[in-house]
């Protein structure tokens, strides 16, 4: 099925560094969501975005809904070891089944203390 | 955020047996729930959409007779893997759609690790 282009695929950073990851789509989305998944667990919602241009923060996390409605980014500032995990973007496309999400392939984040 | 409970968290079964996985929305009513399968180091793959009081909608390539879904109440959906085989071993995750405040957000359960011997 359709998937979002999420990059980078993986990141190895030093504790304290900032992190940026993004997702792009060929189609317009009306909702962008960012989830984090720890090993052996289900995804946990980090941030939800509903309007083009919307910029939303959740602690050290900031995400934006792109103006074109075809992209979104997630930034993590001053990373800490517990930020380790896989981050997924997910979007709901216009015309799609209500509530159905399309997922990116994930960004695996590793943080060196 | 909303709370979704999934049970069991892991199960080991013999080939040929059936396994039932439960997904409950604890603090909201969910007319729609979703079932995903996740292979190692991969993203979530939607298997089916579960609608309360009606038949589930299965994604292409997912056998409906193999993966039985029942959504009998507004807070519970079940996935039964029938006649399980080793190739059914995987991580299964459910989610419940929270429509409150007109925000369609999927909240996920913690997942079920199924191992078929």
């Amino acid at each position: 099925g359709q998937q979002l282009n999420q990059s980078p695929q993986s990141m190895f950073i030093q504790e304290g560094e900032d992190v940026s990851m993004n997702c792009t789509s060929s189609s317009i989305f009306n909702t962008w969501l960012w989830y984090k998944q720890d090993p052996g667990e289900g995804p946990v919602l980090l941030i939800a975005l509903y309007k083009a241009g919307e910029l939303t923060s959740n602690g050290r996390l900031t995400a934006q809904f792109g103006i074109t409605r075809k992209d979104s980014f997630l930034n993590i500032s001053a990373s800490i070891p517990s930020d380790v995990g896989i981050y997924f973007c997910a979007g709901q496309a216009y015309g799609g089944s209500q509530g159905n999400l399309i997922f990116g392939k994930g960004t695996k984040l590793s943080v060196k203390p | 955020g909303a709370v979704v409970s999934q049970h069991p968290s892991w199960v080991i079964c013999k080939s040929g047996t059936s396994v039932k996985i439960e997904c409950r929305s604890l603090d909201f009513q969910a007319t729609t729930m979703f079932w995903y399968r996740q292979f190692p180091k991969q993203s979530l793959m939607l298997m089916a959409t579960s609608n309360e009081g009606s038949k589930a909608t299965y994604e292409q390539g997912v056998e409906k007779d193999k993966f039985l879904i029942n959504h009998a109440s507004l807070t519970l959906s079940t996935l039964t893997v029938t006649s399980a085989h080793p190739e059914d071993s995987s991580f299964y995750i459910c989610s419940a759609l929270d429509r409150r405040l007109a925000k369609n957000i999927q909240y996920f359960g913690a997942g079920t690790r199924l191992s078929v011997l």
Side-chain angles (χ1 to χ4, degrees):
Chain A
Q2 181 182 355
Q3 279 198 314
L4 302 176
N5 295 315
Q6 184 172 350
S7 64
Q9 185 175 3
S10 63
M11 302 181 73
F12 296 86
I13 63 169
Q14 199 75 35
E15 182 178 359
E17 290 183 353
D18 297 342
V19 172
S20 184
M21 58 192 79
N22 68 83
C23 277
T24 59
S25 171
S26 58
S27 55
I28 293 174
F29 278 51
N30 59 23
T31 303
W32 283 96
L33 303 170
W34 285 91
Y35 291 89
K36 181 192 178 195
Q37 185 178 27
D38 291 328
E41 298 287 333
V44 174
L45 180 67
L46 299 174
I47 293 179
L49 303 161
Y50 299 97
K51 297 179 182 179
E54 180 180 355
L55 183 70
T56 298
S57 294
N58 178 7
R60 293 177 296 106
L61 279 61
T62 301
Q64 184 160 30
F65 192 142
I67 290 292
T68 65
R69 296 180 177 272
K70 294 183 179 181
D71 63 307
S72 176
F73 72 74
L74 174 70
N75 287 344
I76 305 173
S77 63
S79 58
I80 59 178
S82 61
D83 290 333
V84 166
I86 301 177
Y87 292 80
F88 290 101
C89 63
Q92 184 174 343
Y94 277 109
S97 299
Q98 192 174 34
N100 278 34
L101 293 176
I102 300 168
F103 281 86
K105 292 187 177 182
T107 295
K108 183 177 180 180
L109 178 63
S110 300
V111 179
K112 290 182 286 186
Chain B
V3 181
V4 175
S5 173
Q6 186 172 343
H7 178 81
S9 56
W10 60 271
V11 57
I12 301 173
C13 69
K14 293 182 179 179
S15 186
T17 61
S18 295
V19 174
K20 180 184 284 189
I21 303 171
E22 294 186 347
C23 184
R24 295 179 184 274
S25 55
L26 298 185
D27 54 354
F28 68 101
Q29 293 182 333
T31 55
T32 303
M33 293 186 177
F34 301 90
W35 289 95
Y36 295 84
R37 185 171 180 177
Q38 187 176 34
F39 293 101
K41 298 183 180 182
Q42 293 191 22
S43 188
L44 285 73
M45 181 185 76
L46 180 64
M47 298 175 64
T49 302
S50 171
N51 298 296
E52 188 268 337
S54 64
K55 292 182 179 180
T57 303
Y58 289 82
E59 295 299 301
Q60 190 173 6
V62 178
E63 300 176 58
K64 61 180 181 181
D65 295 329
K66 175 75 172 175
F67 299 99
L68 298 179
I69 291 172
N70 185 283
H71 194 155
S73 79
L74 288 172
T75 58
L76 174 64
S77 175
T78 61
L79 169 69
T80 300
V81 183
T82 62
S83 187
H85 291 284
E87 58 265 30
D88 297 324
S89 299
S90 193
F91 192 54
Y92 294 88
I93 311 173
C94 72
S95 72
L97 185 63
D98 185 354
R99 300 181 188 272
R100 293 175 295 180
L101 303 177
K103 310 277 190 189
N104 289 338
I105 295 180
Q106 287 189 36
Y107 290 98
F108 288 84
T112 297
R113 173 73 58 192
L114 171 62
S115 296
V116 184
L117 304 178

